[in-house]
Amino acid sequence: MLLWNARVIDGTGRPPRERAVVRIDERRIAEVGETGGPAPEEAIDVGGRTLLPGLIDAHAHVSSDVSRSPGFGPPPPLHGEAPRRREIGYFVLAKSARALLEAGITSVRDVGSYDDEAIVLREATRLGLLDGPRILSCARIISATSPGGAIFKTMYREADGADEMRRAVREQLRRGADFIKLMATGARSVVAEDPEPAQMTTEELHAVVDEAHRLGVRVAAHVEGLGGARLAVAEGVDTIEHGLSLHRDPALLEAMAERGMVLVPTLSTFHDLAERFTDAFAPVLVEQAKRQREEAYATLLAARAAGVTLAMGHDSGPPGDNALELVRMVAGGLSAMEGIVAATQGSARALGLDDVGAIRPGATADVLVVDGDPLDDVEVLRGPERMWLVVRDGRVVAGRGRGSGTMDA
Ligand SMILES: [Zn+2]
């Protein structure tokens, strides 16, 4: 596949390259060169549109529970209707996969789903039953026994004590996990949890990280308060999820930058609790979320100033609106280019993948071509409307332009 006359944003933050040619050979980008002379017969002329890496959501919950995605799933069941069959949920997952691709989200990191649904969707995609984004899943979230366990049920694997933590890590790998996620603190969405102190002991968190790293997988840590942040950074997790309190301790951000830890600020989740679903959450949580939202934005800027790698994680719905998080990161003070780098190269680092999130020879061919200039207005990257071409693993999977001319070949 030869994409002709593109304006290339490569995901590194370098200025765009005009009139470029991107050659894709099977699943990989083979060459990024100059347009010279007339377009060859087999080329796809993208007409100067912007070409960039497929977007990566580094904090998603792949789920058939679409209660936080109004209008996306089936209408809510009414009293008196026959109970919904559980299997309907798998069709919701399939619809999610399509919606993500159409919105240019070519990879997602699932940080907790019910009943291993993310792994089911990952496998269905891998087996060629449907097109979907690349999925990396943590299987179940490892948590100390906690009030959240009663709410999140099969999304959690509760464990206590160092030995049981090691067992919990091993269980997730047996379930098919690509990485491990732990709860370093309680959750802002649980009334009975205080998200400020560390929820695991030093020994417990150490055991999770040690076991995961020895077995060759990465660790994502849910972190809200500073107690958990200190512990997670000290024990060497790979990514900090939310991390809203970090602005209060700049030394922690410096340590993260030094060690190459990635911060996934998930601004959208605070908007959800503070503004969007205020009727659905206990009032005390809504008030807490308003404070946390301000802190999350302060941490976004403090982390950038400290040189911490940032990733885009929507942690919200509906599937396909993921780049709203990118828009919010830019509204919060990042430049459009910094936002794009977070949603591509930064998120790839969160996933621990060095061959996605980049337009360069040798990289996996996850490529978007979009209408409009995302450096002028990042909104063009939000949702399917401006997606002209979406390529995953070297194959056209979505985009308005895909039916035209040589693209069928
Ligand atoms: Zn989350």
Side-chain angles (χ1 to χ4, degrees), residues 12-41:
T12 66
R14 272 195 288 270
R17 182 170 172 174
E18 308 288 341
R19 288 177 298 283
V21 178
V22 176
R23 187 161 61 78
I24 295 170
D25 203 358
E26 305 209 331
R27 299 163 66 116
R28 304 226 164 249
I29 295 171
E31 189 188 347
V32 183
E34 302 281 325
T35 308
E41 184 95 4

Side-chain angles (χ1 to χ4, degrees), residues 59 61 111 181 188 242 315:
H59 188 120
H61 297 275
V111 287
K181 160 106 179 271
R188 69 204 165 281
H242 320 299
D315 198 12

Side-chain angles (χ1 to χ4, degrees), residues 77-240:
L78 299 172
H79 289 293
E81 285 183 357
R84 294 267 164 78
R85 292 194 61 123
R86 194 261 170 275
E87 294 84 349
I88 293 291
Y90 294 106
F91 293 88
V92 176
L93 292 174
K95 185 181 175 188
S96 302
R98 170 62 21 211
L100 289 163
L101 285 182
E102 285 176 354
I105 309 295
T106 51
S107 300
V108 300
R109 186 175 65 143
D110 167 72
V111 287
S113 67
Y114 294 103
D115 299 325
D116 306 328
E117 285 184 335
I119 288 175
V120 173
L121 183 59
R122 183 193 72 191
E123 291 308 290
T125 306
R126 187 179 67 79
L127 294 168
L129 298 174
L130 77 168
D131 285 334
R134 175 178 300 95
I135 295 172
L136 269 62
S137 174
C138 70
R140 301 192 182 188
I141 301 168
I142 299 175
S143 166
T145 298
S146 64
I151 293 175
F152 293 112
K153 299 193 168 77
T154 65
M155 192 184 280
Y156 272 28
R157 176 8 173 137
E158 292 175 295
D160 303 286
D163 282 351
E164 216 186 314
M165 289 296 169
R166 289 185 190 274
R167 185 184 176 90
V169 169
R170 293 170 187 178
E171 277 180 15
Q172 302 325 302
L173 297 178
R174 187 172 65 179
R175 287 182 185 282
D178 301 288
F179 68 99
I180 296 298
K181 160 106 179 271
L182 63 83
M183 298 296 287
T185 69
R188 69 204 165 281
S189 51
V190 177
V191 172
E193 290 187 358
D194 176 357
E196 201 55 36
Q199 197 173 51
M200 286 187 181
T201 65
T202 304
E203 293 70 30
E204 287 171 333
L205 203 147
H206 174 82
V208 173
V209 175
D210 183 66
E211 192 67 19
H213 284 174
R214 198 187 76 255
L215 294 170
V217 294
R218 292 162 64 81
V219 179
H222 171 106
V223 170
E224 296 188 38
L226 267 190
R230 292 200 175 104
L231 200 51
V233 171
E235 293 301 330
V237 304
D238 300 287
T239 67
I240 300 275

Side-chain angles (χ1 to χ4, degrees), residues 278-297:
T278 51
D279 291 344
F281 284 93
V284 61
L285 297 179
V286 174
E287 289 310 307
Q288 176 173 268
K290 287 177 185 167
R291 293 194 300 276
Q292 289 193 324
R293 182 188 52 195
E294 302 314 309
E295 286 208 80
Y297 278 96

